[in-house]
Amino acid sequence: MTEGRVVTDKRATIADVARALDLTKSTVSRAMNGFPDIAQATRLRVQRMAEVMNYQPLSHAQAIKTGITRSLGLVLQLSDHDAHRPFLAEFLAGVSASASTKGYTLTVASADTHADLITNFRTLMRDGKADGFILPRAMVEDPRVTYLQDAGVPFVLYGRPPKSKGCSWFDIRGEDAMRHAVQHLAQLGHRRIGFVNGGSVYAYAELRLQGFLVGMQAAGLQTDPAMIMQNAVTETDGFAAAEQLLDRAVRPSAIVCAIDQAALGIYRAAQARGLQIGQDLSVTGYDGIQAGAQAQPPLTTFGVDNNAACLRLATLLICLIRGTPPTLLRDTATATFLVRGSTGPPVTS
Amino acid sequence: MTEGRVVTDKRATIADVARALDLTKSTVSRAMNGFPDIAQATRLRVQRMAEVMNYQPLSHAQAIKTGITRSLGLVLQLSDHDAHRPFLAEFLAGVSASASTKGYTLTVASADTHADLITNFRTLMRDGKADGFILPRAMVEDPRVTYLQDAGVPFVLYGRPPKSKGCSWFDIRGEDAMRHAVQHLAQLGHRRIGFVNGGSVYAYAELRLQGFLVGMQAAGLQTDPAMIMQNAVTETDGFAAAEQLLDRAVRPSAIVCAIDQAALGIYRAAQARGLQIGQDLSVTGYDGIQAGAQAQPPLTTFGVDNNAACLRLATLLICLIRGTPPTLLRDTATATFLVRGSTGPPVTS
DNA sequence: ATGAAAGCGCTAACAG
DNA sequence: CTGTTAGCGCTTTCAT
């Protein structure tokens, strides 16, 4: 009678492997951890046997000596608008999948106040629930960076901090996306192009603005400061920004938008004015909309390979934790332009 | 010169506490873990000293003997529409916050295929990354339950399984919500009320349908089977379902909807037909829309206290893991009706 | 009611 | 190159 069976199969321990190979635990341990003083032959035998016996070191048993538990930390900020985007699921999935590939797991915590955030970092580290952190959405002034940096805790930013004081990050070249968008629109004949930027507390905002401006200049177009809106991160924000833009005496014939959700708000504002998207008004969005995904409704945008980004982030953090090179990495990835029905030549009135 | 400082402050160990009290580690251990053979006085001294020295047992050090690491597992299913709802962030936040209150953390993994799901459960358990699982969205035929049950792993369902073979769950009484919605509409004078249900693979669907039917009967209204739509879980689904309902010869004057996202699709379909919400068509939604939250646009709905639900789920799972009573719990919570601008008396044509 | 001692699975000196 | 030995922080018999 099998009552209350909680574990399915007995786990092989390092001792088992050692015994099977007539070696000592320490040899097995060093073989598995890639120490240089182990004969290639032995290492191979050990690895093979580990494979056969399905042996994997128990992370919390190692942790007791090493302090590392093979887990990545992610602290969500509820106040952040990103937390409420559909994108979050993809992000979590991407990171956890990448992490598990390398034997790591994802520990998620959440904070609403700033103090909570720091407390969470502290306790997660202290209790060995995270060996390092992934910080989504780099901010211009980022208290997380400050804290983690002088606590000596490994972390990776998603986004480029303006003043990168020696921290690692991965980012997507949003500025190029903005520039290409302008170029695309300019080629279609647009001359009055508006820009709806995202939250200026985030590092990406300045970059994307610059990208937009560079694009305008390259296209030989005049930039009207009144055509540039800031801080639109939600659908509602986008709606409000678009209202301002569209209710001007001379309205833009096209709007470039830094955040996908905001772009949807622009759609709504346009529709409310009876403007046909892709005709009376061209709209180009950007941000988390996945490459190949169908924006609903169709939005001309830069698709971002979120999975790849997550993979880079996780991999990088793991390198940092392990102390294996590259110990400091900054990398960017491009976004692929996806032309859909939301742009077209300007109506010649 | 402090180079590479990784840990901020030295952690107190059980030995430290024992020494400070002139006791043995074993006494301290048993005192902390509530063993009965410890004098009340000693227990108090130990607890107080632990407090003072800020001692907390290292979960992975305990795990090496006990096998439990004080972490709750959550495996997201990407195929699930829920994964893409804004609601996810709240859920994660709620669960992780509740867990951390009790010294637990949240480990998140993800799966896209069904096999992945099971594999994830296995490895997370095997590697001691989760002591038990929270399963969102109970399904009618739930392979997770089957697996976890005969693996003897503790878990808690969010939702009531139709045939609960001895598993614990927590749920919100969606059927009451549906019933009240009908009642509300009937009182306003509606007689032709449609129903847009959610995914029939989920356990809630049948419950909500029954709630709707009971409500109709209680109001003395005739139920037209053609007025009942199934499987609308997204905005798009809701749109499609509403199209069918609204393009009939006799269209409903009100629609009750089981899923908030689908309700938004109903809005769109209505607007496309020039129908004024709350006037030409009343709409009532339900699901994850948080109590007090502003539905955008205003939707008459049942607000759900997600935080409370998360707390219940986490607490319950922790009880199960620890084996402390109640070892089997089924509980439901109500939803509070929030009347907004999306309902009104039917237009008398 | 408490202590002594052994050991969990693993790593890390230090020998040889 | 490999074995020996000693822990890491905690739990858990078994004595007393």
Side-chain angles (χ1 to χ4, degrees):
Chain A
M1 168 176 140
T2 52
E3 52 133 344
R5 173 174 46 118
V6 171
V7 180
T8 311
D9 33 23
K10 263 283 145 290
R11 220 188 142 89
T13 77
I14 195 173
D16 296 333
V17 178
R19 202 175 308 117
L21 255 39
D22 201 42
L23 291 171
T24 31
K25 295 187 294 174
S26 76
T27 307
V28 174
S29 170
R30 285 181 331 238
M32 301 262 338
N33 294 300
F35 277 55
D37 60 351
I38 295 291
Q40 267 313 314
T42 333
R43 166 156 309 143
L44 244 58
R45 284 176 59 213
V46 169
Q47 283 169 346
R48 214 178 304 283
M49 183 54 87
E51 189 80 19
V52 169
M53 302 180 69
N54 191 24
Y55 166 71
Q56 271 178 252
L58 208 50
S59 68
H60 52 264
Q62 321 189 96
I64 208 181
K65 277 246 92 167
T66 64
I68 85 147
T69 51
R70 276 186 269 129
S71 49
L72 312 183
L74 183 64
V75 181
L76 301 176
Q77 298 190 79
L78 288 180
S79 54
D80 196 291
H81 68 281
D82 278 333
H84 305 288
R85 294 179 50 212
F87 171 57
L88 175 66
E90 273 171 34
F91 186 70
L92 288 173
V95 171
S96 64
S98 310
S100 85
T101 289
K102 303 196 159 41
Y104 278 70
T105 52
L106 217 214
T107 302
V108 173
S110 64
D112 22 38
T113 81
H114 171 255
D116 275 6
L117 224 182
I118 302 298
T119 307
N120 267 319
F121 286 144
R122 286 189 63 91
T123 51
L124 286 177
M125 280 303 296
R126 207 189 109 99
D127 298 350
K129 296 296 197 150
D131 304 325
F133 295 93
I134 292 179
L135 310 183
R137 286 281 191 226
M139 299 185 289
V140 175
E141 214 59 61
D142 207 319
R144 303 169 298 178
V145 171
T146 318
Y147 174 75
L148 292 175
Q149 214 154 218
D150 63 47
V153 174
F155 66 95
V156 179
L157 278 169
Y158 192 0
R160 276 160 287 171
K163 22 183 163 173
S164 62
K165 326 161 190 172
C167 56
S168 299
W169 45 257
F170 172 82
D171 199 11
I172 283 171
R173 298 187 61 79
E175 63 277 30
D176 288 357
M178 298 300 107
R179 186 163 49 79
H180 291 151
V182 172
Q183 182 185 329
H184 173 70
L185 293 166
Q187 273 168 0
L188 288 174
H190 290 274
R191 298 189 51 79
R192 293 187 313 284
I193 305 178
F195 182 54
V196 174
N197 203 353
S200 49
V201 296
Y202 300 106
Y204 68 77
E206 180 60 22
L207 290 166
R208 294 184 189 179
L209 173 59
Q210 291 309 324
F212 172 79
L213 294 176
V214 167
M216 290 294 277
Q217 193 149 20
L221 297 178
Q222 197 72 20
T223 303
D224 180 356
M227 288 284 205
I228 297 182
M229 298 284 131
Q230 300 279 1
N231 283 310
V233 293
T234 63
E235 203 265 1
T236 314
D237 294 342
F239 181 80
E243 275 194 316
Q244 293 211 40
L245 252 25
L246 297 178
D247 291 345
R248 303 181 60 79
V250 280
R251 67 161 54 124
S253 66
I255 298 179
V256 172
C257 191
I259 297 285
D260 49 9
Q261 299 287 294
L264 299 180
I266 297 177
Y267 273 42
R268 185 156 59 91
Q271 275 158 356
R273 280 156 189 74
L275 299 175
Q276 187 79 22
I277 296 287
Q279 200 151 340
D280 308 307
L281 180 71
S282 290
V283 178
T284 280
Y286 180 65
D287 210 23
I289 293 185
Q290 200 176 14
Q294 286 287 68
Q296 179 62 281
L299 177 63
T300 296
T301 183
F302 285 80
V304 172
D305 191 341
N306 282 321
N307 259 329
C310 294
L311 179 64
R312 303 290 275 125
L313 285 167
T315 311
L316 177 48
L317 180 52
I318 290 171
C319 286
L320 287 178
I321 289 168
R322 291 191 180 146
T324 64
T327 181
L328 177 66
L329 179 59
R330 291 105 183 244
D331 198 6
T332 56
T334 55
T336 51
F337 205 24
L338 309 172
V339 180
R340 299 209 191 88
S342 71
T343 65
V347 285
T348 45
S349 54
Chain B
M1 165 177 142
T2 52
E3 53 134 343
R5 171 174 45 118
V6 171
V7 180
T8 312
D9 34 23
K10 263 282 142 294
R11 218 190 144 90
T13 76
I14 195 173
D16 296 332
V17 178
R19 203 174 307 119
L21 255 38
D22 202 42
L23 291 171
T24 32
K25 295 186 294 175
S26 74
T27 307
V28 173
S29 171
R30 287 181 329 237
M32 301 264 334
N33 294 297
F35 278 54
D37 60 350
I38 295 291
Q40 266 314 313
T42 331
R43 183 178 315 261
L44 244 58
R45 284 176 59 212
V46 169
Q47 283 169 347
R48 214 178 304 283
M49 183 55 87
E51 189 79 19
V52 169
M53 301 181 69
N54 191 24
Y55 166 72
Q56 272 178 250
L58 208 50
S59 67
H60 52 264
Q62 321 190 97
I64 208 182
K65 279 245 90 168
T66 64
I68 84 146
T69 51
R70 275 186 270 131
S71 48
L72 312 183
L74 183 64
V75 180
L76 301 176
Q77 299 189 77
L78 288 180
S79 53
D80 196 291
H81 69 280
D82 277 333
H84 304 287
R85 294 179 49 213
F87 171 56
L88 176 66
E90 272 172 34
F91 186 70
L92 288 173
V95 171
S96 65
S98 309
S100 87
T101 289
K102 302 194 160 41
Y104 278 69
T105 51
L106 216 212
T107 302
V108 173
S110 64
D112 20 39
T113 80
H114 172 255
D116 274 6
L117 224 182
I118 302 298
T119 307
N120 267 319
F121 286 144
R122 286 188 62 90
T123 51
L124 285 177
M125 279 303 297
R126 207 189 109 98
D127 299 350
K129 296 297 197 146
D131 304 325
F133 296 93
I134 291 179
L135 309 184
R137 286 282 192 223
M139 299 186 289
V140 175
E141 213 59 61
D142 208 319
R144 304 170 296 178
V145 171
T146 318
Y147 173 76
L148 292 175
Q149 215 154 216
D150 62 48
V153 173
F155 67 95
V156 180
L157 279 169
Y158 194 178
R160 275 159 287 170
K163 22 183 164 175
S164 63
K165 328 160 192 173
C167 57
S168 299
W169 46 256
F170 173 81
D171 198 10
I172 283 171
R173 299 187 60 80
E175 63 276 31
D176 289 356
M178 299 300 107
R179 186 162 49 80
H180 291 151
V182 173
Q183 181 185 330
H184 174 69
L185 293 166
Q187 275 169 0
L188 288 174
H190 290 274
R191 299 190 51 78
R192 292 188 312 284
I193 306 178
F195 183 53
V196 173
N197 204 354
S200 48
V201 296
Y202 299 106
Y204 68 77
E206 179 59 21
L207 289 167
R208 293 184 190 180
L209 173 59
Q210 291 309 323
F212 172 79
L213 294 176
V214 167
M216 290 294 277
Q217 194 150 19
L221 297 178
Q222 198 71 21
T223 303
D224 179 356
M227 287 286 205
I228 297 182
M229 299 283 131
Q230 298 280 2
N231 283 311
V233 293
T234 64
E235 204 265 0
T236 313
D237 294 342
F239 181 79
E243 275 195 315
Q244 293 210 40
L245 290 177
L246 297 177
D247 291 346
R248 303 181 59 78
V250 281
R251 69 161 55 124
S253 66
I255 298 179
V256 173
C257 191
I259 297 285
D260 49 10
Q261 299 287 296
L264 299 180
I266 296 177
Y267 273 41
R268 185 157 58 91
Q271 275 159 357
R273 280 156 188 75
L275 299 176
Q276 187 79 21
I277 295 287
Q279 198 150 340
D280 307 308
L281 180 71
S282 290
V283 178
T284 280
Y286 180 64
D287 209 23
I289 293 185
Q290 200 177 14
Q294 287 287 67
Q296 181 61 278
L299 177 63
T300 296
T301 182
F302 286 79
V304 172
D305 190 341
N306 283 320
N307 258 328
C310 294
L311 180 63
R312 302 291 274 125
L313 285 167
T315 310
L316 178 47
L317 179 52
I318 290 172
C319 286
L320 288 178
I321 290 168
R322 290 190 181 147
T324 64
T327 179
L328 176 66
L329 180 59
R330 290 103 183 247
D331 199 5
T332 56
T334 55
T336 51
F337 205 24
L338 308 172
V339 180
R340 298 208 191 89
S342 70
T343 64
V347 283
T348 45
S349 54

